[in-house]
Amino acid sequence: MVRPRKRQTPAPPKSTGPPGLDVNAVVSYNVKAIRERRGMTQQQVAERLAQLTGHQLPQASISAMERGFEGERRRRFDAHELYLLSVVFDVPIAYFFIPPPGTGMGELADTRRP
């Protein structure tokens, strides 16, 4: 009698992005990507945010938001910031969670989930 083969569970995909790619790094990547696609400077983004909030962020704050993808220091984003960024760029909040090209569904750091 022949036994059926055991089903092999495929190994979860490994991240091909920067080491320790986490959800905040994904958001950082997408903030920079959409700003550049829209042809905006960091200063222009800061000014648009100021129109919504009533207080001016320095350009360096926008730079810090964007550096989280490739840098070692990760800026954490909160729901309010994501909402404001979605208004500034006129995209749904979910846009900021799209994985960067080439990273696919790799495991996110600190979640052990794709």
Side-chain angles (χ1 to χ4, degrees), residues 24-40:
N24 289 296
V26 171
V27 172
S28 291
Y29 174 86
N30 287 310
V31 168
K32 182 176 182 177
I34 195 164
R35 178 186 62 77
E36 289 176 344
R37 255 186 259 125
R38 298 285 166 87
M40 297 174 73

